Each structure stands twice: as structure tokens, then as C-alpha cells.
């Protein structure tokens, strides 16, 4: 009986274990049947939590919303990047071309002399101007225009300044001779200047000094009184710029002294971008016609600022507003100009960069001292 009892107990234990194993295997088989096979192999966070039938409904719903949000966010950014790629596939494309012809820049020349001595003596104001025209290291003197009424301020730039007719001795463009008709006189913040290729019609076919512009300039030393502010000495200021942009002598002018021969080598870059790329674009201008440029837009902002502050303009400013009286130039224009340069109002921030433009850069510059024999021969030939 004892052996039977032990066998029965053992058999009962085995049966219990077997039955329990069957029940556990049955439960596991049931779970495998309910759970999708994809969930066992997907490693993305959240899929397992959503498909887990043992989790609560709220927990599974939250995980489902998280997954949907992530999918939507990813799809939105992918679509946005595809749209950006299709609209502007290239930001910068550098293409080196061997062109047959290249546009030539505009060359603006200004004499540094503030007023011709012969006209100052004719008006009998030599002593007054000598006391008022100060050097940079002295206290600032009065403005020269205080000696003229408003009707003469405009004439001051043509009568007292050096014109193209008393500055240009001769010039050549390529293998052809050029003259006064190839230059355009314009009034700038540096006085009366003259520009070659102001309309942008000149093109070069070859590189080298033999195919460019050559000029012989007469500084008229006997007419020198005092140079303009920040330029102490007789000579010329030359700036090279695109014909589409107004010259800014005070920013880009290069000094040329008399008695020397200068050589300038230039390079050109053509920029072209889709409107809106890197915030480039254009703005309708009131005073400038033709192709838009940021320099012209900035000059309009400066002009409008002074018109609002002083109700008049200087002769070098664009537009048809009345010219300022000499007292207004001293009392309003000059201090307002300093205030503008210090504050830079918000108007200039609305001037976008040009999307398509040409830039001319100075590659090489050198000079030679001209011999006395050459100067004397030139003086005999020109009768000067």
C-alpha cells in the first residue's frame, strides 16, 4: 500500500504538471494568435505598446496618438524639403565661362579740389574760404556754399568745380580715340565728376591694357585751393562700378596723384539668383529709372530722410525738390547727414540685395613716376 500511495502521489504530480503546462501552452498559443506577427519584428517605439492586448485602452490610445503625430511630423518635413528642392535646386552655381566679349564697367573721375582758385578770386572770397576750409586735424570750418544763394548753389558745382573739358587731355578706348562726348558729367557728394560708359554700352573683346581705357588727366595744380574732407592733396578720386549703380566716391574711390601713371587690372563676376533666394529682390524706386540696385535704394532713403528733416535737397541728391539755401545746408543738412550716418534708419533695411548684377573687382594696381621729359612733351603737344 505504501508503494501504491507513493506511485499515485507521483503520478498525480506528473499529471498536474502536465495539465498546467498544457494550460500555459494553450494560453501562449492564444496570445500568439491574437498579436499580429508584424509587431514582433518592428523596433519602432510605440508599436508594441499599441498592439499589447494586456495594456489598458487609455495607454494604447495615447501611444497610438504619439505614433500618428510622429508620422505626420515626418511626412510634413519630407514634403517641405521636396518642395524646396523642386523650387530652388541650386543655391550657388559657379560657372567659369570663356566669353567672347565682356561688359566694361563705368569709370567715374572726380577732382579733389573743392573750388578753382580763379573763380574764388573773381568773387573776392579767397581770404574767407582760406579761413573756413580747414584741414582734417583742425576744427571743422563753415560750408563753402554759405557764400551763395540757393539759385547759385547748383551753379557752384559747374562754375567752381573742374569739368571734363579742363580735366581730360586725351583718351583712347581700345584702338579708337575717345573724347568729351564719351563722358557724362554728374554731380556727386564729392562735387562735379565725369563718368565713362555711364550707359553701359562698352564691351571688351580682349584682356590687357592695350584693349581697355586710357586717359591723360590734367589736375590743374595752379587752380588748387583745398581738397575735400578726408582727402589732403591735389589729384583725382577714381571709382569703378557697374553702370547700373550710382557712384559712391566716398566709399570706393581710389586716389590718383599727379605726375604718375597708373595701371588697374579688373575682374568681373556675374551674379544671378532667383528672386527671394537669400532675401534678394527689388523695390520700386521714385528717383531712379532702369535696373534696380541697392545703392540707388539707399540713396533714395538718404534723400527722403533729408527732405523730411530739412524740406529741401542738395544738388547731388536725386529728385526735383527745391535746392536748399546755404544757411539750411549749414544748419540742417550737415547735422542731419551726421545723424543719418550714425543711426542708419530702418528704410535701408527694406532695400534688398539685387538678384542679378555684375561686380567689378580690382585685381592688380601699380604706378610709375612719369619722367619730366614726358610731361614737358605732353605740355607742348596740348598747349597746356
Amino acid at each position: 500500500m505504501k508503494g501504491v500511495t507513493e506511485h499515485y502521489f507521483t503520478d498525480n504530480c506528473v499529471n498536474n504538471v502536465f495539465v498546467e503546462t498544457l494550460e500555459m501552452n494553450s494560453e501562449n498559443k492564444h496570445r500568439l494568435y491574437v498579436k499580429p506577427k508584424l509587431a514582433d519584428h518592428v523596433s519602432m517605439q510605440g508599436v508594441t505598446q499599441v498592439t499589447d492586448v494586456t495594456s489598458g485602452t487609455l495607454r494604447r490610445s495615447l501611444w497610438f496618438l504619439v505614433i500618428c503625430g510622429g508620422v505626420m511630423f515626418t511626412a510634413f518635413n519630407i514634403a517641405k524639403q521636396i518642395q524646396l528642392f523642386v523650387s530652388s535646386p541650386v543655391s550657388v552655381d559657379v560657372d567659369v565661362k570663356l566669353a567672347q566679349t565682356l561688359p566694361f564697367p563705368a569709370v567715374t573721375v572726380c577732382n579733389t579740389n573743392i573750388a578753382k582758385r580763379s573763380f574764388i578770386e573773381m568773387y573776392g572770397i579767397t581770404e574767407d574760404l582760406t579761413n573756413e576750409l580747414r584741414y582734417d586735424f583742425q576744427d571743422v570750418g563753415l560750408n563753402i556754399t554759405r557764400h551763395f544763394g540757393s539759385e547759385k548753389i547748383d551753379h557752384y558745382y559747374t562754375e567752381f568745380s573742374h569739368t571734363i573739358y579742363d580735366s581730360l587731355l586725351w583718351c583712347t578706348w581700345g584702338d579708337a580715340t575717345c573724347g568729351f562726348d564719351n563722358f557724362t558729367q554728374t554731380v556727386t557728394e564729392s562735387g562735379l565728376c565725369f563718368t565713362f560708359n555711364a550707359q553701359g554700352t562698352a564691351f571688351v573683346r580682349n584682356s590687357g591694357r592695350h584693349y581697355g581705357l586710357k586717359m591723360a588727366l590734367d589736375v590743374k595744380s595752379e587752380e588748387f585751393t583745398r581738397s575735400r574732407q578726408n582727402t589732403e592733396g591735389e589729384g583725382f578720386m577714381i571709382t569703378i562700378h557697374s553702370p547700373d549703380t550710382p557712384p559712391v566716391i566716398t566709399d570706393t574711390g581710389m586716389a590718383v596723384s599727379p605726375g604718375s601713371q597708373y595701371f588697374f587690372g579688373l575682374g568681373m563676376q556675374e551674379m544671378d539668383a532667383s528672386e527671394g533666394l537669400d532675401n534678394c529682390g527689388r523695390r520700386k524706386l521714385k528717383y531712379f529709372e532702369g535696373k534696380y540696385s541697392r545703392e540707388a535704394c539707399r540713396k533714395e532713403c538718404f534723400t527722403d530722410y533729408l527732405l523730411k528733416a530739412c524740406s529741401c535737397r542738395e544738388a547731388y541728391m536725386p529728385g526735383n525738390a527745391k535746392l536748399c539755401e546755404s544757411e539750411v545746408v549749414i544748419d540742417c543738412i550737415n547735422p542731419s547727414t551726421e545723424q543719418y550716418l550714425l543711426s542708419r534708419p530702418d528704410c535701408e533695411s527694406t532695400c534688398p540685395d539685387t538678384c542679378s548684377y555684375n561686380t567689378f573687382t580690382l585685381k592688380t594696381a601699380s604706378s610709375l613716376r612719369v619722367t619730366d621729359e614726358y610731361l614737358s612733351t605732353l605740355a607742348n603737344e596740348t598747349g597746356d
Side-chain angles (χ1 to χ4, degrees), residues 14-65:
V14 172
N15 290 338
N16 288 339
V17 172
F18 178 73
V19 172
E20 184 177 356
T21 303
L22 287 177
E23 290 178 354
M24 290 178 63
N25 290 338
S26 298
E27 184 178 355
N28 288 337
K29 289 181 179 181
H30 178 68
R31 289 182 181 178
L32 290 174
Y33 177 78
V34 174
K35 186 185 296 184
K37 293 182 179 180
L38 180 62
D40 291 335
H41 303 284
V42 174
S43 61
M44 186 177 72
Q45 185 69 24
V47 175
T48 305
Q49 287 79 356
V50 171
T51 58
D52 188 4
V53 294
T54 61
S55 298
T57 304
L58 179 60
R59 177 184 173 86
R60 295 171 63 188
S61 300
L62 291 176
W63 275 108
F64 179 75
L65 293 176

Side-chain angles (χ1 to χ4, degrees), residues 48 116 139 147 160 166 180 182 188 260 278 286 291 324:
T48 305
K116 291 189 287 188
D139 295 333
H147 296 276
F160 280 66
D166 57 24
F180 302 138
N182 299 104
T188 71
S260 298
D278 199 20
K286 297 182 294 184
K291 193 174 181 180
C324 296

Side-chain angles (χ1 to χ4, degrees), residues 114 128-135 138-148 156 226 229 326-327 329-331 334:
I114 196 170
D128 293 339
L129 292 184
T130 303
N131 294 329
E132 293 175 8
L133 296 175
R134 306 297 185 92
Y135 291 107
Q138 294 177 311
D139 295 333
V140 178
L142 297 178
N143 194 298
I144 187 175
T145 56
R146 79 176 188 88
H147 296 276
F148 311 100
Y156 153 74
R226 195 65 59 83
Q229 189 175 11
S326 56
E327 292 79 6
V329 173
I330 300 171
D331 299 334
N334 291 344

Side-chain angles (χ1 to χ4, degrees), residues 321-355:
K322 70 174 183 177
L323 295 176
C324 296
E325 299 280 348
S326 56
E327 292 79 6
V328 179
V329 173
I330 300 171
D331 299 334
C332 184
I333 293 292
N334 291 344
S336 297
T337 299
E338 294 181 3
Q339 181 63 32
Y340 181 89
L341 296 177
L342 291 175
S343 61
R344 292 292 185 183
D346 296 335
C347 176
E348 288 195 8
S349 63
T350 63
C351 295
D353 289 324
T354 313
C355 293

Side-chain angles (χ1 to χ4, degrees), residues 32 68 80 113 345:
L32 290 174
C68 290
K80 187 176 180 180
N113 188 19

